[in-house]
C-alpha cells in the first residue's frame, strides 16, 4: 500500500453503508489512506443503527455528516467503491470504480440491529480485502 491514496465510498443516502465502509477503511488503513464517503442523494443524518453497530467494533461514525457526491470527489479518488446497485457514479478518466453488490437482508425479513450487524460484517470483510490489495491510480 502506498501513502496518500484516496478511497471514496458511495451509496445513495450516505447515511449507512458508505459511512460504515469509510469508518472501517479508516481503521484498517490509518493515516496512509484518505477516506471519503458521499451520496448520490444524501440524507440528513447518519443512520443510528449503522453508528451503533460500528461502535460495537470500536469505530465511531456518529459525528459524520452525509455529503453530496461531486465530480471533484470522484476525480480526486484513486478508487471509488459504490455500495449497492442503486447509486450510480459517472466515471472519470483514470479513476477505478467498483460496485459491491450488498445482500439486502430486509428482503428476507431480517431487520433492525441484526440486519445492520450482518451488513457491517459483510462490509468489514470487503474493506479488509480492499485494504490489502489497494494500489494507486496509474496516470
Amino acid at each position: 500500500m502506498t501513502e496518500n491514496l484516496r478511497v471514496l465510498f458511495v451509496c445513495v443516502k450516505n447515511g449507512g453503508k458508505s459511512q460504515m465502509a469509510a469508518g472501517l477503511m479508516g481503521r484498517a488503513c490509518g493515516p496512509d489512506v484518505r477516506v471519503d464517503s458521499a451520496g448520490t442523494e444524501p440524507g440528513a443524518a447518519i443512520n443510528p443503527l449503522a453508528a451503533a453497530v460500528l461502535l460495537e467494533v470500536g469505530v465511531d461514525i456518529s459525528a459524520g455528516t452525509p455529503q453530496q457526491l461531486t465530480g471533484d470527489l470522484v476525480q480526486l479518488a484513486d478508487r471509488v467503491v459504490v455500495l449497492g446497485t442503486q447509486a450510480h457514479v459517472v466515471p472519470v478518466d483514470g479513476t477505478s470504480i467498483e460496485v459491491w453488490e450488498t445482500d439486502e437482508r430486509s428482503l428476507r425479513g431480517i431487520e433492525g440491529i441484526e440486519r445492520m450487524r450482518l451488513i457491517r460484517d459483510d462490509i468489514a470483510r470487503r474493506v479488509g480485502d480492499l485494504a490489502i490489495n489497494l494500489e494507486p491510480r496509474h496516470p
Side-chain angles (χ1 to χ4, degrees), residues 4-46:
N4 302 317
L5 291 176
R6 293 179 74 118
V7 177
L8 172 64
F9 292 99
V10 178
C11 66
V12 175
K13 292 188 178 184
N14 190 225
K17 294 175 186 175
S18 59
Q19 292 278 354
M20 293 170 76
L24 291 163
M25 181 63 104
R27 180 180 68 180
C29 295
D32 289 345
V33 175
R34 164 90 189 256
V35 181
D36 294 302
S37 68
T40 56
E41 297 174 30
I46 300 296

Side-chain angles (χ1 to χ4, degrees), residues 74-85:
V74 174
Q75 187 170 20
L76 289 171
D78 293 290
R79 178 80 60 97
V80 176
V81 177
V82 181
L83 288 99
T85 57

